[in-house]
Amino acid sequence: MSTTNETLLREGITEKPESLWSHYIRRFRKHSLGKIGLVILLVLYLGALFADFISPYTMTWGDKTKPYHQPSDIQLMYDGPQGRQFKPFTYEYKITNIALRTYEPVPEHTIRAISRESRVGVNGLRVVADEDSQARRASSVLLAVTRQYRLGTSDPAVSILREALQDLEHDPDPDARRLVDLGPSTTEGGQQIPRQILLAKGNKNFLRFFNQGIIYSFFGIPTRTHLFGSETGGYFPIGTDATGRDLASRLLHGSRISLSVGILGAMITIILGLLIGGLAGYFGGWIDNILMRFTEVLISIPQLYLLFALRAALPSDLSSVQVYLIIVLILSFIGWSNVARIIRGQVLSIKNEDFVLSARTMGLSQFKIILRHVLPSTFSYVIIQSTLSIPGYILGESALSLLGLGISEPQSSWGLMLAVGRNFRVVRDFPWVLIPGFFIFLSILAWNFFGDGIRDALDPKSKH
């Protein structure tokens, strides 16, 4: 019985009539590359949505002492006071050659001090004291903390920190930790802000899930919880950039712009193409002549130069949000012309179909005929065109940012991150800076796979 049902279902014969969308979904599920593209896109867009939580740090957080830090090597087994155990960690590194950006692990007797800021967006203090003597290590930490919080030598917080340092130094655990509360500070507005310093002994940064790290705002809620990372920092999954910012965190945050610009650009392009192409095709005459001549003029202009000219004509002192919206509009303004020409051709044939003539005979207004009968008949093409045009917008944004005409610092986008690749020495010595290029390639490939799957699902002549 089940074999018979499967045979009927395979041949599209079922007891219950199949809806059109169920038919499309069933055909899409047979397209292997389309499903692979959909899974990749879901992973990428979920990563962009939850970038704050997944990232080890915030987008702007950086350690200026670690420019072009190599990707961290994770050690899985830890030999501690309780014997050998599974406890992943990375070594803390310090720069040994500023010109070549070479690093080596710090000594085991190192003391690190990491401030735990309570305000979102504040780049906290991080001190690595690797001097040989206990007194000099304590002096380095005290000096840095007093400068950070502008403490006097008689401030009670200094005494608290000094006692905590002595206690940590005498702890038999070579990787001991202390969270020191220095008491609140008062801002100029009278607000009380807590001050906490995490003291870490040794040269290891222990990794764990749901790490309590840099504070950030997650959908408006301040929190310190990151999916994976180290509370002492020093963990860079794919390295750092020229200013010591974590590339993985910037990659995730940059995906929001690089991935969303394609969807927004495609939506605006399709709306413009439907509107202009639909009007030209349905009404014809002088409306068709004016709209199509304007479209042909736009198509005849080299798009790359038009892109640069439009961006250069706008003010340079715009905010990141304004630049983002402008890029979307520029890309959409360039891309709608081809869509409008194809929509016009489809509308020219659709407007003479029987169902459109029947609607006219029944007295429907031309506006309703266009919206309810003509344009919906072009939606299969619109859906396919949308999925296949999104990669072009992703590449367009990347090209603008790469050339310095798109998203600007401190914001992040994949194209902006690739801008350092213009220097061949950087690419040769620090190849991890090209990782954003792989994600551009992956997203474009996924959108093309997904678009092919949609096209085959909607095409009645397809073998799927």
Side-chain angles (χ1 to χ4, degrees):
M1 185 66 182
S2 60
T3 305
T4 305
N5 289 337
E6 290 177 0
T7 304
L8 292 174
L9 183 64
R10 195 182 308 119
E11 295 176 355
I13 305 172
T14 57
E15 296 178 357
K16 184 178 179 181
E18 187 180 31
S19 68
L20 193 59
W21 283 109
S22 299
H23 176 70
Y24 291 153
I25 292 172
R26 180 171 58 80
R27 289 170 62 88
F28 179 78
R29 291 173 64 182
K30 295 179 180 178
H31 199 285
S32 300
L33 288 179
K35 289 190 290 186
I36 292 174
L38 178 60
V39 170
I40 295 174
L41 289 175
L42 286 175
V43 172
L44 290 176
Y45 279 89
L46 285 175
L49 183 62
F50 297 101
D52 296 301
F53 171 64
I54 300 174
S55 304
Y57 310 96
T58 60
M59 181 180 64
T60 56
W61 184 91
D63 187 344
K64 293 182 180 178
T65 64
K66 291 183 171 56
Y68 292 124
H69 190 290
Q70 69 272 23
S72 300
D73 293 327
I74 298 179
Q75 309 293 321
L76 298 179
M77 304 307 294
Y78 168 65
D79 295 317
Q82 300 176 350
R84 190 174 179 80
Q85 57 181 316
F86 178 77
K87 193 174 183 180
F89 68 90
T90 64
Y91 285 107
E92 178 72 30
Y93 283 81
K94 69 175 181 180
I95 194 165
T96 55
N97 188 317
I98 297 177
L100 300 178
R101 306 290 199 277
T102 55
Y103 291 84
E104 67 178 16
V106 298
E108 291 187 359
H109 58 252
T110 300
I111 296 290
R112 286 165 288 159
I114 301 99
S115 68
R116 294 174 67 86
E117 302 295 337
S118 59
R119 291 174 294 178
V120 176
V122 176
N123 208 6
L125 173 70
R126 194 169 191 275
V127 185
V128 180
D130 60 348
E131 290 84 353
D132 292 332
S133 70
Q134 176 182 336
R136 293 179 63 186
R137 290 194 292 272
S139 177
S140 296
V141 173
L142 286 170
L143 179 63
V145 173
T146 52
R147 285 180 176 174
Q148 173 76 5
Y149 293 115
R150 299 179 181 178
L151 302 175
T153 53
S154 60
D155 195 301
V158 177
S159 301
I160 295 173
L161 185 60
R162 184 179 289 109
E163 292 175 2
L165 285 168
Q166 291 176 355
D167 181 54
L168 186 67
E169 290 280 6
H170 292 99
D171 193 316
D173 185 352
D175 297 294
R177 303 285 189 268
R178 295 285 188 280
L179 182 60
V180 184
D181 188 355
L182 302 180
S185 66
T186 305
T187 63
E188 295 180 355
Q191 183 183 4
Q192 296 285 320
I193 299 175
R195 297 174 298 186
Q196 290 184 327
I197 295 290
L198 176 64
L199 298 178
K201 187 180 180 181
N203 60 354
K204 299 176 184 63
N205 299 302
F206 295 104
L207 305 172
R208 63 181 181 182
F209 285 100
F210 304 109
N211 174 57
Q212 296 298 307
I214 307 297
I215 191 170
Y216 63 95
S217 178
F218 188 63
F219 295 108
I221 303 173
T223 180
R224 293 183 182 277
T225 305
H226 297 258
L227 178 62
F228 190 70
S230 171
E231 62 179 356
T232 55
Y235 166 60
F236 308 108
I238 56 174
T240 67
D241 62 9
T243 57
R245 295 176 298 190
D246 178 49
L247 278 180
S249 301
R250 292 185 61 75
L251 187 73
L252 283 164
H253 285 88
S255 65
R256 290 176 170 173
I257 290 177
S258 298
L259 294 177
S260 64
V261 73
I263 294 179
L264 284 178
M267 287 175 60
I268 297 175
T269 296
I270 292 300
I271 291 173
L272 288 174
L274 278 172
L275 179 65
I276 297 175
L279 291 175
Y282 186 80
F283 290 106
W286 65 271
I287 296 178
D288 184 24
N289 282 330
I290 292 176
L291 293 177
M292 285 302 102
R293 297 299 83 74
F294 177 68
T295 303
E296 290 165 0
V297 169
L298 191 62
I299 292 175
S300 63
I301 301 174
Q303 293 193 352
L304 185 62
Y305 296 106
L306 181 59
L307 196 67
F308 292 159
L310 288 173
R311 178 63 185 94
L314 296 168
S316 58
D317 56 344
L318 299 174
S319 67
S320 296
V321 176
Q322 291 172 323
V323 170
Y324 170 73
L325 294 175
I326 286 173
I327 288 175
V328 172
L329 291 175
I330 289 175
L331 294 174
S332 304
F333 181 73
I334 292 175
W336 65 265
S337 51
N338 288 322
V339 178
R341 285 172 62 89
I342 296 175
I343 293 292
R344 170 185 175 270
Q346 292 191 346
V347 171
L348 281 174
S349 62
I350 292 171
K351 72 177 184 180
N352 293 320
E353 295 287 341
D354 291 342
F355 63 93
V356 178
L357 297 177
S358 300
R360 287 179 187 158
T361 306
M362 294 174 66
L364 262 66
S365 67
Q366 292 182 334
F367 179 74
K368 289 183 178 178
I369 292 174
I370 292 175
L371 285 186
R372 293 184 181 179
H373 299 284
V374 177
L375 292 184
S377 300
T378 67
F379 280 179
S380 59
Y381 163 77
V382 167
I383 295 173
I384 296 169
Q385 179 63 27
S386 300
T387 56
L388 295 179
S389 63
I390 287 175
Y393 293 98
I394 296 175
L395 280 177
E397 184 279 328
S398 301
L400 279 176
S401 298
L402 179 69
L403 296 172
L405 298 174
I407 302 299
S408 57
E409 298 282 357
Q411 293 297 317
S412 176
S413 76
W414 291 348
L416 180 62
M417 294 176 71
L418 278 179
V420 296
R422 289 177 295 184
N423 186 331
F424 82 94
R425 179 183 172 276
V426 172
V427 175
R428 182 193 62 192
D429 296 341
F430 319 113
W432 53 85
V433 300
L434 295 180
I435 290 177
F438 169 75
F439 280 88
I440 293 175
F441 161 77
L442 185 65
S443 62
I444 291 173
L445 194 66
W447 270 115
N448 280 320
F449 284 170
F450 181 63
D452 286 344
I454 293 291
R455 182 188 58 199
D456 289 344
L458 299 183
D459 185 3
K461 298 180 181 178
S462 171
K463 62 179 181 180
H464 296 280

